[in-house]
Amino acid sequence: MVSTNGVRATTLFLFCVFVLTRHRKATTSKMAASVRDKQTVALRRMLNFNTPPVKNATSEPVWKVLIYDRFGQDIISPLLSVKELRDMGITLHLLLHSDRDPIPDVPAIYFVMPSEENIDRMCQDLRNQLYESYYLNFISAISRSKLEDIASAALAANAVSHITKVYDQYLNFITLEDDLFILCHQNKELISYHAINRGDMQDTDMEAIMDTIVDSLFCFFVTLGAVPIIRCPRGNAAEMVAAKLDKKLRENLRDARNSLFTGDNMASGQFSFQRPLFVLADRNMDMATPLHHTWTYQALIHDVMDLHLNRVMLEEGAGAEAPPAGARPKKKSRRTYDLTAADKFWQRHKGSPFPEVAESVQEELDAYRAQEDEVKRLKSIMGLEGEDEGAISMLSDNTAKLTSAVSSLPELLEKKRLIDLHTNVATAVLDHIKSRKLDVYFEYEEKLMSKSTLDKSLLDIISDPDAGTPEDKMRLFLIFYITAQQPPSESDLEQYQTALLDAGCDLSPLAYIKQWKAFTKMAATPANYGNSGVKPMGLFSRVMNSGSQLVMEGVKNLVLKQHNLPVTRVLDNLMEMKSHAETDDYRYFDPKMLRGSDSSIPRNKNPFQEAIVFVVGGGNYIEYQNLVDYTKSRAGKKVIYGCSELFNASQFIKQLSQLGQK
């Protein structure tokens, strides 16, 4: 039996370790600029036993094991590659709940959520004495009672001295770009649009969802090192999140000794001169954009392929031609590609219209081939066909050109790898565009959303067996229904529904959108999608050039016109302090004010330079790209986009379908 006094003493010991270390978390690097940089710096520090890594250290890193749960894995994987982990001395990275063998002479760094089952498994590790020492890092703050559970287990296993550090890391969110974050990838259905808008929602369920969202947002602001000014609409989930976040930030600031927003941290951020604006939006404010067919590279990949956490999965090897009779069907191989910050082509073109991307892939390929031919030409001039590189580098000075060409080979090979990656991905996207006529859908939906003149009837597209999948047709009709000033008459609706059913569509999403439209009284004030629209530049009637890999024949060359989507327009009103009927009633919270107020009158009259927009209920790459384009046209402004989950239209339609079946 373990004595109560023993547990108390051990808990006290752990608590001292914990309080000391937890408090130090708040000082992040003074050089880190974006939220991605800051989260990466925090992770590198954690993987270096919670001390800042020394740059250019010639000594070998300390070899260690990283133990994470699925949440920890999702946070680390978009930011640090396996090679980077190895460079930091991580020899093994294992899931907490996998079967792990003891490695008694190695320190272990844990990076997990403080959940009941995780704590139990960590206690089991202590009892089994798996590692030499334990550095316990919790993604989100651990409660006192759970800390006591670890203390009891440590005492019982005689392992108290092996627990070196206990940290709250406040890293419970996933950064995908410098200016894009989501809350979680595991269990995202628990905070999805469907979860928040179910008809049988209990108050306690809603509280739990809001607490989960607020916990992650609190972690985001701790990592950012900034206390925001919060604005939100009234009477929806966004308002509940705003009120809870304001309370949580206020309580932390009031406890000056343990505040995570210390002077050190506040001065180190990009937001050192002015506090950022935090705009909370509700998915219900704009239901058409998540269903919209898109035309930019990143959003298209997300729409038509399996893209999550910056990793895209392609099915290869299944050709269009059927296998000979009696032969086994060819097995499809699945390949994954990482779309990273180091990929310059991706960084330059992820927001470009697809035809532009196809052209650029070809240009990159031509430039690569020219470089490759130059190396071959130099080698043949020197009579060195097939010679090894050692012989080349020993040649006299007049071979400097060749030597430099050969030394650039690794760079050239990496370039070739990235060109192949984008050729494969762009070809797969192009197949979808052609087979489903996605250019036609995109152009037609843009016209619907901007109230432009339509060149053909909606029924024609729904009835055309060659135009898209049943889901494409459903998306188009839902956008028509959502954006219509007046809902269609009963007889028209009957006609549309018959055509949709004939095309193989499931009408459940429409059932929900009808309820939603009636409830939000959207008929009176439909969301304004601005003066959007596309400029057709004619068809790609010819192949771009004779050797092109991407045959764009028959695809419309559509050029996007800049316009602001509803989320961007709301942000613009609030950031520039414009008076507008849409946002004048938005609530205003300042967690630094002594007393909270129910005011919608901003105390700060100056326009904001930095802002974070967060969509409760889920977001998409179309809105993200629209905000990126908006920021590019505003010198000196910084905008970060966040959402509770990042879904594509197919995933969103599934949620609407579930809601419509109830």
Side-chain angles (χ1 to χ4, degrees):
M1 278 290 289
V2 176
S3 76
T4 319
N5 288 344
V7 173
R8 281 205 192 110
T10 310
T11 307
L12 198 61
F13 166 73
L14 277 180
F15 216 67
C16 290
V17 169
F18 174 67
V19 168
L20 287 170
T21 53
R22 160 198 240 185
H23 201 56
R24 252 183 272 137
K25 161 67 187 79
T27 56
T28 51
S29 156
K30 289 186 163 45
M31 292 305 293
S34 68
V35 68
R36 170 154 58 184
D37 290 340
K38 292 193 170 197
Q39 198 175 24
T40 309
V41 165
L43 287 171
R44 284 180 178 279
R45 185 186 174 113
M46 176 190 86
L47 296 171
N48 197 43
F49 305 118
N50 288 300
T51 56
V54 182
K55 288 235 169 87
N56 306 325
T58 47
S59 59
E60 282 277 298
V62 177
W63 301 111
K64 47 201 172 271
V65 180
L66 171 63
I67 312 293
Y68 47 36
D69 60 1
R70 293 271 180 211
F71 288 90
Q73 187 179 31
D74 290 344
I75 292 164
I76 292 171
S77 73
L79 299 177
L80 296 169
S81 66
V82 173
K83 183 191 178 301
E84 286 171 305
L85 290 176
R86 203 176 299 121
D87 291 345
M88 284 182 277
I90 304 292
T91 50
L92 273 177
H93 39 97
L94 304 163
L95 281 164
L96 176 67
H97 293 282
S98 61
D99 292 330
R100 289 173 282 117
D101 295 324
I103 315 175
D105 51 351
V106 168
I109 293 174
Y110 284 72
F111 184 51
V112 297
M113 287 292 277
S115 66
E116 208 68 62
E117 58 174 344
N118 283 353
I119 301 290
D120 288 349
R121 186 59 190 257
M122 289 161 83
C123 293
Q124 191 182 319
D125 288 358
L126 289 170
R127 282 193 293 275
N128 296 341
Q129 299 181 349
L130 290 190
Y131 309 109
E132 177 192 59
S133 54
Y134 300 82
Y135 292 78
L136 309 183
N137 297 278
F138 295 101
I139 296 170
S140 211
I142 184 171
S143 66
R144 174 78 192 233
S145 65
K146 290 200 176 113
L147 199 62
E148 284 174 1
D149 292 344
I150 296 174
S152 302
L155 197 62
N158 199 16
V160 175
S161 59
H162 296 287
I163 298 180
T164 314
K165 286 181 180 171
V166 184
Y167 266 78
D168 274 342
Q169 288 293 349
Y170 294 99
L171 291 172
N172 190 15
F173 61 97
I174 300 169
T175 312
L176 297 175
E177 305 279 349
D178 282 344
D179 47 7
L180 172 66
F181 73 98
I182 58 174
L183 297 194
C184 62
H185 184 64
Q186 303 298 318
N187 301 349
K188 59 184 176 187
E189 63 284 349
L190 300 179
I191 55 168
S192 64
Y193 180 83
H194 170 259
I196 294 169
N197 293 278
R198 329 196 295 270
D200 58 353
M201 166 69 70
Q202 302 293 315
D203 284 355
T204 49
D205 298 341
M206 194 62 161
E207 284 288 321
I209 293 171
M210 295 301 120
D211 286 341
T212 305
I213 293 173
V214 167
D215 179 67
S216 284
L217 289 174
F218 180 77
C219 290
F220 172 83
F221 285 108
V222 170
T223 304
L224 199 61
V227 180
I229 302 281
I230 305 170
R231 303 296 307 269
C232 69
R234 293 172 184 269
N236 54 23
E239 183 181 23
M240 292 171 73
V241 171
K244 276 180 175 287
L245 181 63
D246 174 63
K247 182 168 179 277
K248 195 168 174 106
L249 287 166
R250 193 179 289 279
E251 283 168 0
N252 190 267
L253 288 165
R254 200 175 292 148
D255 180 4
R257 212 159 53 95
N258 292 313
S259 172
L260 293 155
F261 299 92
T262 56
D264 240 5
N265 196 30
M266 299 308 288
S268 71
Q270 74 200 70
F271 297 123
S272 45
F273 300 113
Q274 191 200 28
R275 288 164 62 197
L277 168 70
F278 183 48
V279 178
L280 276 151
D282 195 289
R283 181 69 275 155
N284 285 311
M285 76 178 287
D286 171 14
M287 296 286 273
T289 301
L291 296 166
H292 189 16
H293 288 86
T294 179
W295 201 235
T296 55
Y297 191 32
Q298 186 176 35
L300 259 170
I301 293 172
H302 190 229
D303 189 8
V304 302
M305 285 193 273
D306 183 6
L307 169 70
H308 59 270
L309 303 183
N310 295 347
R311 182 166 286 171
V312 65
M313 198 167 278
L314 281 192
E315 285 194 345
E316 294 176 348
E321 68 281 354
R328 272 192 185 163
K330 247 191 194 171
K331 203 173 175 200
K332 290 185 180 183
S333 66
R334 291 170 78 81
R335 290 194 62 178
T336 58
Y337 298 104
D338 288 318
L339 301 167
T340 65
D343 179 346
K344 289 192 176 70
F345 184 89
W346 175 244
Q347 291 306 316
R348 218 172 27 249
H349 291 293
K350 63 187 179 194
S352 305
F354 186 74
E356 209 176 286
V357 175
E359 218 164 294
S360 301
V361 168
Q362 191 56 43
E363 282 166 13
E364 291 278 323
L365 191 57
D366 293 343
Y368 166 76
R369 281 179 181 153
Q371 272 178 290
E372 196 179 39
D373 291 345
E374 177 68 4
V375 174
K376 283 180 183 164
R377 190 181 67 79
L378 285 166
K379 275 179 138 182
S380 71
I381 288 170
M382 305 299 299
L384 281 167
E385 285 290 8
E387 285 282 344
D388 71 330
E389 283 165 27
I392 295 166
S393 59
M394 286 161 64
L395 288 170
S396 61
D397 287 349
N398 47 5
T399 62
K401 240 177 157 183
L402 180 58
T403 312
S404 94
V406 171
S407 65
S408 67
L409 273 177
E411 195 184 314
L412 211 56
L413 289 170
E414 176 60 8
K415 199 172 183 185
K416 176 76 168 80
R417 184 186 72 80
L418 293 174
I419 291 168
D420 288 346
L421 182 161
H422 289 289
T423 304
N424 293 343
V425 171
T427 305
V429 170
L430 183 58
D431 289 346
H432 280 276
I433 292 173
K434 286 178 165 180
S435 65
R436 291 162 56 185
K437 296 191 179 173
L438 298 183
D439 48 341
V440 175
Y441 278 94
F442 168 68
E443 188 180 21
Y444 198 87
E445 288 164 6
E446 283 281 318
K447 286 178 177 171
L448 278 176
M449 289 162 83
S450 60
K451 314 278 187 285
S452 306
T453 324
L454 303 171
D455 51 356
K456 60 166 101 173
S457 86
L458 185 62
L459 267 177
D460 286 350
I461 300 182
I462 294 171
S463 310
D464 179 354
D466 297 328
T469 61
E471 193 178 85
D472 289 326
K473 297 174 196 288
M474 195 66 209
R475 282 163 65 178
L476 173 65
F477 182 72
L478 289 175
I479 289 171
F480 160 72
Y481 192 87
I482 289 164
T483 55
Q485 296 278 6
Q486 294 297 323
S489 66
E490 280 302 316
S491 59
D492 284 355
L493 191 59
E494 195 66 44
Q495 206 178 349
Y496 284 127
Q497 285 178 323
T498 307
L500 287 165
L501 284 169
D502 290 346
C505 297
D506 165 25
L507 295 185
S508 322
L510 178 59
Y512 175 72
I513 289 293
K514 281 182 187 169
Q515 296 167 21
W516 168 82
K517 192 152 181 161
F519 179 70
T520 51
K521 303 186 176 61
M522 284 293 281
T525 54
N528 173 13
Y529 291 90
N531 182 20
S532 70
V534 288
K535 212 162 51 184
M537 301 291 282
L539 290 178
F540 280 104
S541 50
R542 57 187 176 75
V543 180
M544 282 183 303
N545 65 40
S546 53
S548 176
Q549 301 257 334
L550 295 155
V551 184
M552 298 288 288
E553 197 165 358
V555 175
K556 294 187 177 193
N557 185 5
L558 302 167
V559 178
L560 300 165
K561 286 203 296 195
Q562 178 54 37
H563 65 284
N564 288 345
L565 291 172
V567 166
T568 310
R569 210 175 47 251
V570 162
L571 170 80
D572 183 51
N573 291 342
L574 296 171
M575 212 170 171
E576 300 297 338
M577 308 305 273
K578 293 177 183 173
S579 178
H580 194 285
E582 196 173 15
T583 49
D584 282 349
D585 194 36
Y586 270 47
R587 286 190 66 180
Y588 178 96
F589 295 91
D590 182 352
K592 283 193 168 182
M593 298 293 289
L594 280 173
R595 275 194 303 282
S597 69
D598 189 26
S599 153
S600 47
I601 301 150
R603 285 182 174 71
N604 171 26
K605 298 285 185 246
N606 301 322
F608 288 87
Q609 293 307 305
E610 288 114 356
I612 299 107
V613 185
F614 184 83
V615 187
V616 179
N620 54 75
Y621 279 110
I622 306 174
E623 278 174 344
Y624 164 64
Q625 192 53 51
N626 196 248
L627 283 162
V628 169
D629 294 340
Y630 164 82
T631 314
K632 275 183 191 157
S633 63
R634 307 279 190 290
K637 302 273 184 191
K638 283 194 182 116
V639 177
I640 295 172
Y641 179 70
C643 47
S644 45
E645 67 165 319
L646 199 58
F647 46 49
N648 63 16
S650 183
Q651 292 156 341
F652 188 48
I653 270 215
K654 278 198 185 78
Q655 296 191 30
L656 297 181
S657 182
Q658 288 170 325
L659 289 162
Q661 285 162 8
K662 287 182 176 163

